[in-house]
Amino acid sequence: MREAAWKDYELIDCSDGERLERWGDIVLIRPDPQIIWHTERKNPLWTKAHARYTRSSSGGGAWDYNKKVPSQWAIGYKELTFGIKPMGFKHTGVFPEQAVNWDFVTDKIKKAGRPLKVLNMFAYTGAATLACLHAGASVCHVDASKGMVQWAKENAALSSLSDKPVRWLVDDCVKFVRREQRRGNKYDGIIMDPPSYGRGPGGEVWKLEDQLFSLIELCLPILSDDASFFILNSYTTGLSPSIMEYLLGVMIRPKFGGSVSSDEIGLHVTESGLTLPCGSTAIWQS
């Protein structure tokens, strides 16, 4: 299992369906349904956290504040800086376990020996976009949420990357890729981090397991002939890393060659010394 080396983020402990986390100087408690163990909460920060997100029995949830928390604060990972905000659906704007993939794209882009053009789909607040920009790539950042794209722009400013070659697009990813096909645009790298559930252009509900093959298939015509990488992330429990790896292998390798790999990604837990699994990633690379 791959895990990143953070300084400004720490997963202090996890027990009874909750994470105890440090984001810079702010300590938060957030729910995580996969934490099914009932280990003793020895760390005193369990009772001294700044805020806890509690789910409501009727759906959703809310933050309960024990101490004053800024509306936004910044944390850093290596040369990148991100704005952190406690949001109404428990998230903070960064998935820290994804840092291993930021490291991967940074290394691939720097070693390419040529300028790479990267498409970041379902790009959220732009952490992967920033990693690619910092490494020297040009990036097309696409997300359907106007608020998330604005947040990504703010993160680029925090990381002093606003002047780098990036297109910020509020758009439906499927519609965008179809237009890119018609325009003949190509990308050397694609990062895809689709939600487990979503709605199609006509409002229809779709599950990632049912749509992933067609989603990857849609992207194949916009991969350049000398493409460098394709990264697929998932937080969907039904999609194991090996299934995702097989998908990329059977769909990309016949035309582009290269190799495929996959793994769980996770976060080191300070109290136990173990790793909390946080999702899966499959990677094709030339």
Side-chain angles (χ1 to χ4, degrees):
M1 185 181 298
R2 297 188 299 149
E3 58 180 69
W6 276 89
K7 293 181 180 178
D8 281 4
Y9 170 86
E10 179 186 8
L11 179 51
I12 303 165
D13 197 9
C14 52
S15 179
D16 283 309
E18 290 184 313
R19 299 183 185 189
L20 178 67
E21 303 171 295
R22 177 180 61 81
W23 300 83
D25 296 328
I26 306 296
V27 176
L28 303 177
I29 298 173
R30 298 191 299 153
D32 187 331
Q34 68 178 344
I35 299 171
I36 60 173
W37 44 91
H38 310 287
T39 47
E40 186 180 352
R41 300 185 175 196
K42 297 179 181 179
N43 196 297
L45 290 174
W46 278 110
T47 59
K48 297 177 182 177
H50 290 77
R52 168 185 258 127
Y53 186 90
T54 306
R55 291 197 183 279
S56 167
S57 55
S58 58
W63 289 94
D64 298 315
Y65 293 94
N66 301 315
K67 302 176 184 178
K68 188 174 181 180
V69 175
S71 58
Q72 177 174 329
W73 66 97
I75 66 168
Y77 180 78
K78 297 184 177 178
E79 299 87 2
L80 308 177
T81 304
F82 314 109
I84 301 299
K85 308 173 191 175
M87 291 186 282
F89 44 97
K90 87 168 184 176
H91 291 164
T92 61
V94 171
F95 291 98
E97 64 276 5
Q98 286 293 331
V100 291
N101 289 327
W102 312 336
D103 290 342
F104 170 82
V105 295
T106 296
D107 186 61
K108 286 292 286 185
I109 292 165
K110 287 184 174 180
K111 289 180 178 177
R114 59 188 173 97
L116 296 188
K117 185 179 175 185
V118 177
L119 171 61
N120 188 10
M121 303 170 62
F122 310 97
Y124 196 50
T125 59
T129 294
L130 303 191
C132 293
L133 290 173
H134 188 272
S138 61
V139 183
C140 185
H141 173 110
V142 186
D143 196 280
S145 167
K146 184 178 180 180
M148 291 301 119
V149 173
Q150 178 58 38
W151 194 339
K153 290 180 182 179
E154 294 168 5
N155 283 337
L158 286 172
S159 298
S160 301
L161 295 170
S162 296
D163 60 338
K164 299 298 182 181
V166 56
R167 295 171 65 202
W168 305 106
L169 298 176
V170 180
D171 205 342
D172 177 87
C173 288
V174 170
K175 289 181 178 179
F176 172 77
V177 171
R178 285 179 177 148
R179 288 198 304 273
E180 290 294 83
Q181 286 184 16
R182 292 194 295 269
R183 289 185 285 239
N185 285 338
K186 304 279 186 176
Y187 294 89
D188 304 304
I190 293 179
I191 302 167
M192 183 188 291
D193 197 353
S196 297
Y197 298 91
R199 291 190 178 272
E204 66 277 10
V205 177
W206 59 273
K207 292 172 65 177
L208 182 59
E209 301 98 307
D210 300 331
Q211 303 296 327
L212 191 53
F213 181 88
S214 59
L215 200 54
I216 297 169
E217 190 175 44
L218 190 68
C219 292
L220 296 182
I222 65 169
L223 270 176
S224 66
D225 291 340
D226 54 351
S228 178
F229 62 85
F230 191 116
I231 300 177
L232 174 62
N233 294 312
S234 174
Y235 292 90
T236 304
T237 23
L239 282 174
S240 69
S242 54
I243 289 175
M244 293 161 54
E245 178 180 339
Y246 192 96
L247 268 172
L248 296 189
V250 77
M251 298 182 76
I252 301 180
R253 282 185 63 190
K255 178 179 178 181
F256 295 92
S259 62
V260 289
S261 61
S262 65
D263 204 351
E264 286 187 291
I265 52 177
L267 293 167
H268 176 79
V269 183
T270 303
E271 282 291 315
S272 67
L274 300 171
T275 301
L276 176 70
C278 300
S280 303
T281 297
I283 297 174
W284 169 83
Q285 57 182 312
S286 60

